[in-house]
């Protein structure tokens, strides 16, 4: 079953749950990606992050909660799990209407963007700041309608009153997701076999 990481039965050498350790490593990878310095063109290091986003947007991504989804899932159930995590952190978000908004946005065009990435997103009237949760699936999340799948899902909710925050956050996430090394490490750390 897909759950936030609280009841891990397997322990590593330090006594920390294996899944919790994978989440910590994924967060470290997020932070490391934004600390990359631009280097001369051609050597492949740091090229994915050419224009640094404002610190407030980077901070939101770097400190976003990460959930490991252990079982393969349909997109709707994965979106519900991630949304529930957002709603737990921000009680002003109405879970039912927000889920409906996410599905309406999906009906306009799937947010499975390729390279094992999906970015479901919605703009909401009742929130004051962007909310983000990152889901990493060991076995993949499937969109049966399009035939696409994803292993890393960024669920983004932004205030309808600030369309620029929506665009900026999508830009930050896209830069992060375009880093092939980060994607491979994130999937590997979650226990997936790709990368």
């Amino acid at each position: 079953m897909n759950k936030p990481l609280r009841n891990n039965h397997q322990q590593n050498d330090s006594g920390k749950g294996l899944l919790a350790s994978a989440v910590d490593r994924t967060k470290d990878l997020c932070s490391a990606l934004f600390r990359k310095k631009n280097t001369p063109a051609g050597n492949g290091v740091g090229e994915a992050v050419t224009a640094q986003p404002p610190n407030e947007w980077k901070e939101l991504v770097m400190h976003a909660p990460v959930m490991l989804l252990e079982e393969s899932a349909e997109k709707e159930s994965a979106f519900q799990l991630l949304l529930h995590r957002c709603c737990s952190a921000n009680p002003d978000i109405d879970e039912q209407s927000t889920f409906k908004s996410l599905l309406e946005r999906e009906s306009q065009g799937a947010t499975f963007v390729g390279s094992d990435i999906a970015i479901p997103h919605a703009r909401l009237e009742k929130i004051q700041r962007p909310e983000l949760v990152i889901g990493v699936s060991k076995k993949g999340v499937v969109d049966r309608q399009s035939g696409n799948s994803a292993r890393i899902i960024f669920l983004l909710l932004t205030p309808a009153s600030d369309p620029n925050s929506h665009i900026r956050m999508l830009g930050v996430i896209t830069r992060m997701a375009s880093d092939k090394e980060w994607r491979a490490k994130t999937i590997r750390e979650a226990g997936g076999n790709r990368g």
Side-chain angles (χ1 to χ4, degrees):
M1 183 172 184
N2 302 319
K3 298 179 187 176
L5 305 174
R6 290 187 183 167
N7 299 320
N8 300 323
H9 299 292
Q10 295 178 308
Q11 300 289 314
N12 64 15
D13 293 335
S14 66
K16 190 173 201 175
L18 291 175
L19 294 176
S21 294
V23 166
D24 289 345
R25 288 189 303 269
T26 299
K27 285 187 172 200
D28 290 343
L29 290 169
C30 292
S31 296
L33 177 68
F34 285 118
R35 285 193 304 266
K36 279 185 180 181
K37 300 209 186 248
N38 292 330
T39 57
N43 69 1
V45 178
E47 292 177 4
V49 182
T50 54
Q52 291 294 316
N55 285 337
E56 65 185 294
W57 308 115
K58 289 192 299 187
E59 290 294 318
L60 181 64
V61 175
M62 288 171 32
H63 298 292
V66 177
M67 287 183 64
L68 290 181
L69 309 172
E70 293 189 277
E71 302 297 323
S72 59
E74 300 274 337
K75 84 175 173 187
E76 290 83 0
S77 61
F79 289 5
Q80 279 185 315
L81 287 168
L82 297 173
L83 177 59
H84 183 73
R85 176 63 180 86
C86 274
C87 293
S88 296
N90 185 342
D92 292 336
I93 299 172
D94 178 60
E95 195 164 342
Q96 187 174 2
S97 66
T98 301
F99 184 65
K100 183 179 175 186
S101 295
L102 285 168
L103 294 181
E104 285 172 4
R105 171 57 191 88
E106 282 292 307
S107 71
Q108 297 170 11
T111 56
F112 283 66
V113 296
S115 300
D116 277 327
I117 301 292
I119 312 173
H121 54 277
R123 294 176 52 213
L124 306 176
E125 296 292 336
K126 294 184 179 182
I127 63 172
Q128 302 303 312
R129 61 180 166 62
E131 295 286 341
L132 175 69
V133 63
I134 302 170
V136 182
S137 174
K138 288 178 154 189
K139 298 180 181 177
V141 173
V142 178
D143 178 6
R144 297 245 185 254
Q145 188 173 10
S146 71
N148 294 322
S149 66
R151 302 281 297 279
I152 303 170
I153 302 169
F154 296 86
L155 188 137
L156 174 65
L157 306 173
T158 57
S161 62
D162 184 9
N164 288 333
S165 70
H166 193 78
I167 293 166
R168 286 185 202 124
M169 285 303 303
L170 287 172
V172 169
I173 292 166
T174 300
R175 269 191 292 283
M176 182 175 178
S178 69
D179 186 292
K180 184 178 179 180
E181 181 182 331
W182 177 83
R183 288 192 317 265
K185 284 182 179 179
T186 299
I187 291 168
R188 192 170 43 251
E189 295 294 339
N193 55 10
R194 290 188 204 168

